[in-house]
Amino acid sequence: MIPTIAWRDDRVVMIDQRKLPFKESYVVCTTLAQVVDAIRKMVIRGAPAIGVAAAMGLALGARRIRIQNRAAFERNFQRLCDQMASARPTASNLFWAIQTMQQVLRDHPQASGEELKELLRLKADELLAEDQAINQAIGQHGQAVVPNGATVLTHCNAGALATAGYGTALGVVRAAWETGKKIQVLADETRPFLQGSRLTAWELQQENIPVILITDSMAGYLMSQAKVQLVVVGADRIAANGDVANKIGTYTLAVLAKENKVPFYVAAPLSTVDLSVTTGKDIPIEERDPQEVTHSLGRPIAPPGVTAWNPAFDVTPNRLVHGIVTEKGIARKPYKRSLKTLKQKRA
Ligand code: MRU
């Protein structure tokens, strides 16, 4: 598997996902501002990977704080957290990671600035390692719903590249594959950023897991022809009632899955579940540069000057979701109760 993000000495190194699959290059960050910029520009993307990058970015930024006293350190660190929170609005994991890093300060009220720098770095390391373990657990729970011989449709990239490793939706696919199930994946290309064709297809190809690429508009036809036995997608934020924000086009797939009686599952870590958000209506949806729609891979594909719209995510209502696969088990309806129970469950 491709390492998405790693420390190299005191620098944060990420594979540049904007360039894949054509070029394997890396972006090296030495400051928090560079990590924020990398998240904003999608060098690194996918909710769990954004969360890990945020934690590492904060650990990196904290190193540069010139310490006068504890209070000054706290004020400076809060500024870094505010900067990080502005990177992207939808993925819950970004805010969860910031809160987790802030908790380090609260847990060590007597620690000096120098000690806090070390503790923040240790916490970021922990989140990086933990994310891979979480995805493997998601895979173990999720593989049970994958029928042998199934064609599994997925959208966007919820794979190793979208996490610290193994993936969420693709973690379910990987685990099913590793148990010996004969499956294949239908990968939606996922316009406009093409995470499906550039990243999911590439990632699966690297591991010889059978993958067939389709354009987004082909999903309904293929479902109607009984060519799809299961849909599994990731999530950027899940509200307390089980409404799911994920890559634009996910809602369309969920409606099509219902119409064609295909089970529709979401795979995500519990850090993506935001119990402070009651329903999907309260999830902020990122609007990205319309140029991502008028252009593809840097080239214009529309008449110059045409107006374009680019909401990056949509919300799938909980009634369309068969189950939410987490590291602590599969949440079922009613989600308000099952998600809360899983969040409170001890590891
Ligand atoms: O805009 P992106 O590429 O960050 O969107 C990613 C998705 O929508 C993924 O499906 C989601 O973050 C889950 S990744 C495990």
Side-chain angles (χ1 to χ4, degrees):
M1 257 175 308
I2 322 95
T4 312
I5 183 165
W7 288 105
R8 196 190 294 151
D9 303 322
D10 272 346
R11 294 169 296 173
V12 174
V13 185
M14 310 164 185
I15 191 163
D16 191 342
Q17 301 195 27
R18 299 167 304 178
K19 309 264 168 69
L20 289 172
F22 312 111
K23 195 169 154 208
E24 207 173 309
S25 59
Y26 293 83
V27 168
V28 180
C29 302
T30 54
T31 66
L32 172 122
Q34 287 170 346
V35 176
V36 171
D37 196 51
I39 295 173
R40 197 170 282 144
K41 295 193 173 140
M42 313 261 282
V43 170
I44 187 160
R45 33 64 50 202
I50 290 172
V52 170
M56 291 168 77
L58 286 171
L60 197 62
R63 295 219 159 220
R64 292 201 163 200
I65 297 177
R66 288 218 202 94
I67 307 156
Q68 292 124 2
N69 54 51
R70 166 96 194 198
F73 184 89
E74 284 187 16
R75 275 197 306 278
N76 277 293
F77 187 68
Q78 186 51 47
R79 268 199 286 275
L80 299 182
C81 291
D82 294 343
Q83 223 179 313
M84 184 56 78
S86 72
R88 289 186 75 188
T90 303
S92 175
N93 310 57
L94 176 80
F95 307 99
W96 169 85
I98 294 170
Q99 281 160 19
T100 305
M101 297 299 270
Q102 286 170 325
Q103 189 61 36
V104 172
L105 272 61
R106 284 194 287 275
D107 287 345
H108 298 90
Q110 308 301 334
S112 68
E114 276 312 324
E115 285 164 341
L116 285 174
K117 289 181 183 184
E118 202 44 44
L119 288 164
L120 287 165
R121 167 71 192 250
L122 287 173
K123 180 54 80 176
D125 288 352
E126 192 185 309
L127 296 189
L128 176 69
E130 190 183 80
D131 187 59
Q132 299 192 12
I134 284 171
N135 294 325
Q136 274 160 350
I138 289 173
Q140 280 316 310
H141 291 295
Q143 62 83 19
V145 304
V146 183
N148 192 15
T151 295
V152 183
L153 176 65
T154 192
H155 190 62
C156 193
N157 171 265
L161 287 165
T163 62
Y166 206 72
T168 58
L170 291 191
V172 170
V173 165
R174 274 196 175 91
W177 180 254
E178 284 162 10
T179 61
K181 290 184 185 173
K182 300 242 173 306
I183 53 171
Q184 62 175 0
V185 176
L186 274 185
D188 269 358
E189 68 170 347
T190 319
R191 274 281 292 153
F193 211 73
L194 302 175
Q195 289 94 330
S197 58
R198 294 189 303 103
L199 308 177
T200 296
W202 183 69
E203 210 184 297
L204 293 172
Q205 214 181 36
Q206 300 272 314
E207 290 178 53
N208 294 319
I209 299 176
V211 56
I212 300 171
L213 179 65
I214 58 170
T215 68
D216 302 332
S217 51
M218 294 171 188
Y221 169 70
L222 293 171
M223 282 194 221
S224 77
Q225 298 298 302
K227 303 280 192 212
V228 181
Q229 282 69 51
L230 179 71
V231 180
V232 187
V233 297
D236 285 82
R237 197 185 296 221
I238 301 173
N241 72 342
D243 290 347
V244 175
N246 190 49
K247 181 52 54 196
I248 192 79
T250 302
Y251 170 51
T252 319
L253 281 183
V255 173
L256 288 168
K258 167 125 180 124
E259 166 74 8
N260 292 286
K261 300 189 175 49
V262 178
F264 179 93
Y265 279 85
V266 172
L270 286 161
S271 50
T272 303
V273 178
D274 183 357
L275 296 182
S276 74
V277 166
T278 318
T279 75
K281 285 197 179 65
D282 302 322
I283 299 176
I285 299 295
E286 178 180 16
E287 295 251 356
R288 294 188 62 85
D289 189 340
Q291 187 157 326
E292 288 177 1
V293 176
T294 57
H295 290 61
S296 191
L297 302 176
R299 297 170 72 150
I301 53 166
V306 72
T307 303
W309 204 343
N310 191 12
F313 301 96
D314 59 26
V315 176
T316 299
N318 57 25
R319 64 176 182 278
L320 299 177
V321 180
H322 270 69
I324 300 175
V325 186
T326 75
E327 66 273 31
K328 292 187 188 162
I330 304 182
R332 304 273 182 188
K333 289 174 197 139
Y335 291 113
K336 203 168 163 206
R337 196 170 59 207
S338 59
L339 288 174
K340 197 167 165 203
T341 307
L342 285 179
K343 278 280 241 191
Q344 286 165 350
K345 194 170 156 187
R346 282 176 182 276

